[in-house]
Amino acid sequence: MRDAAAFIRASTAWTTPALVPEIGLHLATEITPIWQATEEFLAESGIAPPYWAFAWPGSIALARHVLDNPETVRGRRVMDFAAGSGLAAIAAAKAGAARVTAVEIDPVAGAAIGLNAAANGVAVEIVIGDATGTAPAQDLILCGDVCYEKPMTAHIWPWLQRCAATAEVWIADPGRAYVPRAGLAEFARRTVPTLHELESRSARETVLYRIAGA
């Protein structure tokens, strides 16, 4: 791959996401220009949107909760699954997690997470690939807004349930249609400001759940 870090710096602005002024991120301000730029960078059309370039409501709610309640991650091994920008991972590291791993299937997202973590002065291990065939060693798995498509939910949900048998698994849901409702225990909620271009509204009520093990 060409220089992903240079592409990310050139295509985004350094800013703080809504509700989390403690953390800075390389973020896009509009979806269409960054999407087109990413297609050009990868020399590929019809790719998925560059999810890493936005702070989504789920990751914002997770990051805010972790920073407000550092005892939930302090000294623990934490995974940020489908980490996007790495916001939740960075928050966990800042809150005192013993080791933080960000898992992403998109290598450009991995480059963005690396830039964001370094700029925030924290260490985050980055793993690129599909984690659903693995047995994670983490104590806590953070999932921010991962059930926005039916096929993805069907792919990841059985694995998350298996993970919940040996680890604590949190999912932050801003009202997506495909979140299974059985086996969830709400423990927090927050109204998160959003970009109207992304969400067709100015805010989303985002609920944090624990997933029961299979």
Side-chain angles (χ1 to χ4, degrees), residues 107-201:
V108 181
I113 294 166
L115 286 175
N116 290 333
N120 283 279
V122 297
V124 174
E125 178 188 13
I126 300 165
V127 175
I128 303 300
D130 185 353
T132 58
T134 67
Q138 281 76 21
D139 307 302
L140 173 64
I141 299 174
L142 307 177
C143 310
D145 199 359
V146 293
C147 295
Y148 51 86
E149 292 179 344
K150 187 175 183 179
M152 180 174 181
T153 303
H155 179 64
I156 67 173
W157 200 258
W159 176 75
L160 291 174
Q161 289 181 304
R162 291 194 299 272
C163 290
T166 57
E168 194 171 356
V169 181
W170 297 358
I171 180 168
D173 173 39
R176 305 306 183 200
Y178 301 110
V179 176
R181 298 301 165 185
L184 297 179
E186 177 182 340
F187 64 92
R189 65 173 57 216
R190 186 178 293 271
T191 301
V192 179
T194 64
L195 290 175
H196 197 274
E197 184 183 11
L198 293 175
E199 300 283 357
S200 300
R201 64 188 72 186

Side-chain angles (χ1 to χ4, degrees), residues 26-178:
H26 290 278
L27 298 176
T29 56
E30 297 178 281
I31 190 168
T32 301
I34 186 67
W35 197 341
Q36 292 174 339
T38 304
E39 288 186 330
E40 293 170 4
F41 172 71
L42 296 176
E44 183 179 349
S45 61
I47 62 169
Y51 296 113
W52 56 266
F54 301 93
W56 297 87
S59 61
I60 289 174
L62 286 170
R64 187 69 266 156
H65 185 81
V66 164
L67 291 170
D68 289 345
N69 302 275
E71 70 282 358
T72 61
V73 300
R74 188 179 295 123
R76 304 178 79 184
R77 299 166 298 172
V78 178
M79 176 194 292
D80 184 4
F81 173 69
S85 66
L87 174 56
I90 293 167
K94 280 183 169 287
R99 183 175 181 178
V100 180
T101 303
V103 175
E104 251 297 339
I105 201 164
D106 180 357
V108 181
I113 294 166
L115 286 175
N116 290 333
N120 283 279
V122 297
V124 174
E125 178 188 13
I126 300 165
V127 175
I128 303 300
D130 185 353
T132 58
T134 67
Q138 281 76 21
D139 307 302
L140 173 64
I141 299 174
L142 307 177
C143 310
D145 199 359
V146 293
C147 295
Y148 51 86
E149 292 179 344
K150 187 175 183 179
M152 180 174 181
T153 303
H155 179 64
I156 67 173
W157 200 258
W159 176 75
L160 291 174
Q161 289 181 304
R162 291 194 299 272
C163 290
T166 57
E168 194 171 356
V169 181
W170 297 358
I171 180 168
D173 173 39
R176 305 306 183 200
Y178 301 110

Side-chain angles (χ1 to χ4, degrees), residues 7-17 24-30 34 52-53 116:
F7 166 72
I8 291 162
R9 290 190 185 98
S11 304
T12 61
W14 181 253
T15 187
T16 57
L25 298 172
H26 290 278
L27 298 176
T29 56
E30 297 178 281
I34 186 67
W52 56 266
N116 290 333

